[in-house]
Every structure is written in structure tokens, then in C-alpha cells.
Amino acid sequence: VASYAEGFSIVLERNGSLIPGVYEPVIQLACLDASLAIAPVFERFDSVVITSGTLSPLDLYPKLLGFDPVTKVALDMSTYRACILPVVVTRGADQAQLSTRFEVREDPGVVRNYGELLLELSAAVPDGLVCFFTSYMYMERAVSAWHESGLLDKVLERKLVFIETKDVVETTLALNNFKRACDCGRGAVFLSVARGKVAEGIDFDRHYGRCVVLMGVPYQYTLSHVLRERLDYLRRKFQIRPEDFLTFDALRQSAQCVGRVLRSKSDYGAMVFADSRYNRRDKRSKLPKWIQQFLGPGHLNQSTDGAVDLVRGFLRTMAQPIPEAQMREILLDQAQARGGPAHAIDAPQARTTAAAATPSDGKAESAPGAAEAPAVEALFRQSPPAPGTSAVSEAKRPRIEFLS
């Protein structure tokens, strides 16, 4: 750490303890520059592939990671059916606005409408239902209000309810019991938090996650001293406005949460974006392309009743048996996977490349100013360097492929 002149900061959080219920000052050594961690990779290797289903929006990654892309490619999801149903819910059954904006998040009507949305979905969705809140505090307040009003008891009549906590052991036990309830046919609801353990690494594949609900836009806690230091650093060094980074980070986290329910070619699930801000084009355009391709006009600006009807019809259609002929259209056998002509790229033409892709293979579509898709595919098939030469020493700059 002492070898870096900038990119790190010592931050004092007055109430920064990670222990629940303990409020004591904590001194943190915070890394403000992500490019410091990945720079050795770019220096060592000639070709670098960065791939994820949640890299969108792509605009800020070249600045944050310190490379200069010349090509951006987005790949659609290859599927034989519309296996996901993204729905934007902007208002409750009483037509009141649904949002977790600071001005309205504590409104009893907003909290009640979120509870009624969960209640209706618990009756329409079989097996597992996963719900993500923007913070632990907001989840605790919402669950407490639902309990006092009797909404939580109505949900319990349909499904069991499990809650993520800050304690790892308790959360692991809740996850195991949640899956047991889904396996036995009882069905369950798992209440979780964006940026928590469940949102970052737990898969709700198959019947464990037939629907995921995102209650609000998961912006970071803007009063955090670490976040303030990072925003100030990004503004000074990369000229990134704080509001741009916060929106970029929130939409990336949204995709991370809803992607928990889609883990294979035969999987399916509904994705409910319960906040009126997702209806704005500047917000939903930052979602990954594999979500946008299924987000039609009929899925926007829905009320609670309209969204539940869409989800119910979608799950009824998806529950039908899958014809084997349709599965063969997208799955390759061993011979097909090994076949096909190889494309080659000359070493002098190697350039730094960034690309975005969905978790599944798909048809490539070039972004403005991008190269054609075969050129991107060719990057994966480049011939090895001649004997006695080094690929790293011959390339003037690393060639970075950016897959989302």
C-alpha cells in the first residue's frame, strides 16, 4: 500500500462497526481506485477477457479500470423462448406512486403498497419468491409495519417467510430452511438486501426462484464517509460526476439482484422492478441488454394488479413441458462445439477491446463505432506466438475483451 502515491485513503467512521447493535468508531483503509487492482493483469497478459452478465452500463468501466477500448459489442441472449419477464411496477393497487425515494419511502401508503404487492405475488407465484430491499434498515421498518397491519400474517398463510440478517450463521440457516420449504411444495418468501451476502453470491435457480422483486433502486448510502471519499477521488482524477457513478452503481446492482433467478438455459423467472424510477428511460436503458430485450412497452408503468396478472400468465406458460426439438435448437453437441472455421487476427492489428455480453451465448450486435461480431469472435481464436517469441512483448498494448 505504501508504494501507491494515490488511490487509498484512511477514513474514520464514527458508527462503522460491522457487529449488529454495536456503534463504535472504526478506522478504515479504503481503496478508491479499482484500476490499481487490475493493472498487473493488463501488464502481464496480452489478451484479457472480462466477462459478466452485470457489466452494463459500459460507459464508466474503461475509466474506472484504466484502459482505452476501441470496440464495444453487446450480445443478445440466445433462447428458444422468452424465459424471463421483466415488469416495471410504478404504482400500487390504489394508484399511488411506488418508490423508495427519500421523500416518500417512509410514507405509510408506500410501505403498505409494497406489502400488498408481496402479498399478491405470494399467491400467484409457486415455490420460491425472493425480495430485495435497498437496505437492512428499510427492510426492518417495512416488515415491522406489515406485522402491525396484519399483512405479514396474510403472507404467512400462503408461504413461509425467511429473512436475511447481518449474521452469517443465521442467514445460512434461513437459506437452508427456505430451500427445504420449496422442496416440500410449501413454498417460501426470502426477504433480502441488495449488496448483501445473498445478492452477491447465492443462486435461486429452478423452483427456488420463480420470481424476484426489487423494492426500490439500490443506491449506496450517500452519507458514508468512504463513499464520499471515493466520489471526490473519481471526480478529481477521472472527471466522473457523483450522480453518474451512483446511478451506474445502482443499476448494476439491480441487475445483480434480479439475475439470481436465471441460472441455466431451461430456467425461467419473473423480475419485478418495483419503483417508478425504473420507468424512466435514462434508468432502464442502463440495464443489461439481456433484460432490455424482453422489456417490452406492455411491461412498463404497471400497477400491482397489472403486474400480478402478467406474472401469473407468464408462469402458467413457462410451466408447460419443454419440447425436446426446441432444446436442440440452442444446445450444441460435442461435435458441433468443436467444429466451425477459425478466424485469425494478425498480431500488429491487436488493439485494446471492450465488449459486453449476456450470461448466455447469443448473436452479436455492434455498438456505434464498433467492429463486426466476427472480429470479436476472432479474438478468442488468435494463433499462438511463434516459437521463441513472447506474446506479451510483441503486443504494444493489452487487448481487453469486455463481456457482460
Side-chain angles (χ1 to χ4, degrees), residues 22-220:
V22 177
Y23 300 96
E24 57 185 9
V26 173
I27 297 178
Q28 300 184 51
L29 177 63
C31 179
L32 310 177
D33 193 345
S35 65
L36 299 178
I38 202 171
V41 178
F42 293 160
E43 294 173 359
R44 179 178 179 183
F45 296 99
D46 177 32
S47 297
V48 178
V49 179
I50 305 175
T51 176
S52 173
T54 55
L55 288 179
S56 296
L58 293 174
D59 298 338
L60 294 184
Y61 280 101
K63 290 184 178 180
L64 294 175
L65 299 181
F67 65 92
D68 184 19
V70 296
T71 303
K72 295 181 182 180
V73 178
L75 304 179
D76 288 329
M77 180 189 297
S78 61
T79 179
Y80 59 96
R81 59 178 181 174
C83 56
I84 64 173
L85 176 74
V87 181
V88 177
V89 182
T90 60
R91 56 194 189 280
D94 58 358
Q95 303 304 310
Q97 186 185 48
L98 207 58
S99 178
T100 57
R101 288 185 297 108
F102 180 77
E103 297 82 4
V104 299
R105 70 172 63 178
E106 302 296 338
D107 188 289
V110 173
V111 177
R112 183 186 67 253
N113 281 331
Y114 273 126
E116 291 178 349
L117 173 63
L118 182 63
L119 175 62
E120 295 298 326
L121 287 174
S122 65
V125 176
D127 300 317
L129 172 63
V130 186
C131 179
F132 289 99
F133 292 82
T134 55
S135 66
Y136 284 102
M137 182 180 296
Y138 191 70
M139 179 177 67
E140 292 170 359
R141 291 179 179 176
V143 172
S144 177
W146 296 343
H147 176 69
E148 293 177 359
S149 64
L151 267 172
L152 189 59
D153 294 332
K154 295 180 180 179
V155 175
L156 287 169
E157 293 176 1
R158 295 172 169 84
K159 295 182 183 296
L160 299 180
V161 177
F162 300 92
I163 303 177
E164 177 188 6
T165 67
K166 295 182 180 179
D167 187 276
V168 177
V169 177
E170 290 182 354
T171 300
T172 302
L173 181 61
L175 278 170
N176 292 336
N177 289 331
F178 168 82
K179 292 185 176 181
R180 289 177 58 190
C182 294
D183 289 337
C184 72
R186 177 69 170 84
V189 177
F190 197 90
L191 304 181
S192 183
V193 176
R195 306 178 193 279
K197 173 189 174 184
V198 174
E200 293 295 336
I202 304 299
D203 294 339
F204 293 92
D205 58 330
R206 299 177 289 120
H207 61 293
Y208 298 130
R210 290 308 182 198
C211 179
V212 58
V213 185
L214 192 55
M215 294 190 175
V217 182
Y219 284 100
Q220 292 192 53

